[in-house]
């Protein structure tokens, strides 16, 4: 959960000004706000999320305590590959999240044979990741979806039109599922070298190696 800190600063002579910080993790914001409060010159300290929801210090502590038991700070890497010879597609995704004060990672891949192109495989890989996110119990929060497919990222972000009927069906399916779960997607286009984990999972699927795991990250 990311928030901004907004507070009023008062000089010893009574001059006041309102300041707002950059967005940061909720835990970090709490630590900074508590330190600011000790100075005795800060008042009206509030925390604001990207949806303009607002909390005071006590309220944010309660919110952060409540979400600790649920998956949060979720980000997804996805990739899909299409083999023109076999007409099979390898799908891969890695999901990073925090829960119960632990940093965790899910890795999942799959092989499918009903797709027709690499772009369709990329969409299918994102859909696979979204299914894992739903099974994880993620809902009503922002989630970062990162991949190296310009077509998928730019079409879902609304920057490129989608004329292909097959791709449009995938986009509609994904957007409907996101809306049902209350997830606000943040799409991020990354270089292939930053997407090696998902790419490797997709390649493993094409080679007949099934992967499904969840591990704690140190």
């Amino acid at each position: 959960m990311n928030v901004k800190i907004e507070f009023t600063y008062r000089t010893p002579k009574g001059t006041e000004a309102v300041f707002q910080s950059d967005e940061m993790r909720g835990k970090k914001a709490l630590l900074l706000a508590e330190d600011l409060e000790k100075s005795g010159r800060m008042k009206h300290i509030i925390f604001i999320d990207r949806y303009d929801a607002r909390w005071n210090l006590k309220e944010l502590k309660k919110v952060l305590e409540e979400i600790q038991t649920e998956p949060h700070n979720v980000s997804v890497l996805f990739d899909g590959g299409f083999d023109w010879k076999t007409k099979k597609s390898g799908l891969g995704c890695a999901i990073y999240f925090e829960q119960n004060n632990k940093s965790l990672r899910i890795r999942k891949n799959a092989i499918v044979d009903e797709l027709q192109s690499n772009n369709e495989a990329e969409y299918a890989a994102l859909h696979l990741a979204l299914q894992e996110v739903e099974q994880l119990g993620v809902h009503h929060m922002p989630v970062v979806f990162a991949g190296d497919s310009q077509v998928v990222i730019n079409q879902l972000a609304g920057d490129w039109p989608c004329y292909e009927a097959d791709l449009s069906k995938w986009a509609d399916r994904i957007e409907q599922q996101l809306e049902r779960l209350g997830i606000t997607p943040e799409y991020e286009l990354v270089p292939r070298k930053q997407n090696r984990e998902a790419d490797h999972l997709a390649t493993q699927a094409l080679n007949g190696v099934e992967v499904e795991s969840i591990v704690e990250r140190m």
Side-chain angles (χ1 to χ4, degrees):
M1 178 180 181
N2 292 342
V3 296
K4 295 180 181 179
I5 308 172
E6 185 176 283
F7 60 89
T8 301
Y9 177 83
R10 182 183 178 89
T11 69
K13 294 185 178 181
T15 302
E16 293 185 352
V18 177
F19 294 90
Q20 189 176 97
S21 74
D22 293 331
E23 189 175 87
M24 66 187 78
R25 290 286 181 88
K27 287 183 179 180
K28 181 180 179 181
L30 274 180
L31 290 173
L32 290 174
E34 288 172 344
D35 192 60
L36 287 170
E37 197 173 45
K38 291 176 183 177
S39 71
R41 293 185 179 179
M42 310 298 176
K43 62 179 184 179
H44 305 311
I45 298 177
I46 61 171
F47 305 90
I48 309 168
D49 71 6
R50 65 192 64 190
Y51 308 110
D52 205 35
R54 295 167 179 253
W55 302 273
N56 60 30
L57 196 62
K58 183 178 180 180
E59 290 169 339
L60 184 62
K61 283 183 178 179
K62 184 178 180 180
V63 169
L64 291 178
E65 287 174 0
E66 290 174 347
I67 69 172
Q68 282 306 309
T69 59
E70 300 180 356
H72 56 283
N73 294 331
V74 184
S75 61
V76 173
L77 290 170
F78 70 93
D79 197 27
F82 182 72
D83 188 328
W84 287 98
K85 293 182 179 179
T86 64
K87 302 300 181 182
K88 293 184 180 296
S89 300
L91 318 178
C93 65
I95 302 166
Y96 293 82
F97 64 101
E98 295 177 17
Q99 188 173 16
N100 294 321
N101 295 312
K102 296 179 180 179
S103 295
L104 303 165
R105 181 194 64 189
I106 290 174
R107 299 170 74 230
K108 172 77 173 179
N109 70 0
I111 188 165
V112 294
D113 56 11
E114 68 269 18
L115 307 181
Q116 303 299 320
S117 68
N118 193 74
N119 285 334
E120 205 178 351
E122 293 278 9
Y123 264 107
L126 176 51
H127 185 257
L128 173 70
L130 188 53
Q131 288 178 308
E132 292 298 308
V133 166
E134 181 175 8
Q135 289 183 18
L136 191 58
V138 176
H139 59 89
H140 296 92
M141 66 176 65
V143 174
V144 176
F145 294 95
D148 56 52
S149 169
Q150 292 190 45
V151 170
V152 172
I153 295 297
N154 287 320
Q155 286 182 348
L156 288 176
D159 297 327
W160 288 7
C162 183
Y163 299 117
E164 299 91 338
D166 290 339
L167 302 189
S168 183
K169 288 178 181 178
W170 280 107
D172 290 344
R173 187 182 307 173
I174 289 168
E175 289 172 350
Q176 288 168 8
Q177 190 168 0
L178 289 169
E179 184 176 0
R180 177 171 56 81
L181 295 173
I183 290 175
T184 302
E186 298 178 8
Y187 297 110
E188 182 179 344
L189 183 64
V190 297
R192 288 196 64 82
K193 64 180 180 180
Q194 292 183 23
N195 202 32
R196 286 176 180 169
E197 185 174 19
D199 175 69
H200 184 58
L201 287 165
T203 300
Q204 286 179 303
L206 283 172
N207 291 332
V209 179
E210 183 179 351
V211 178
E212 184 171 4
S213 67
I214 178 169
V215 298
E216 181 176 357
R217 296 180 292 131
M218 305 304 292

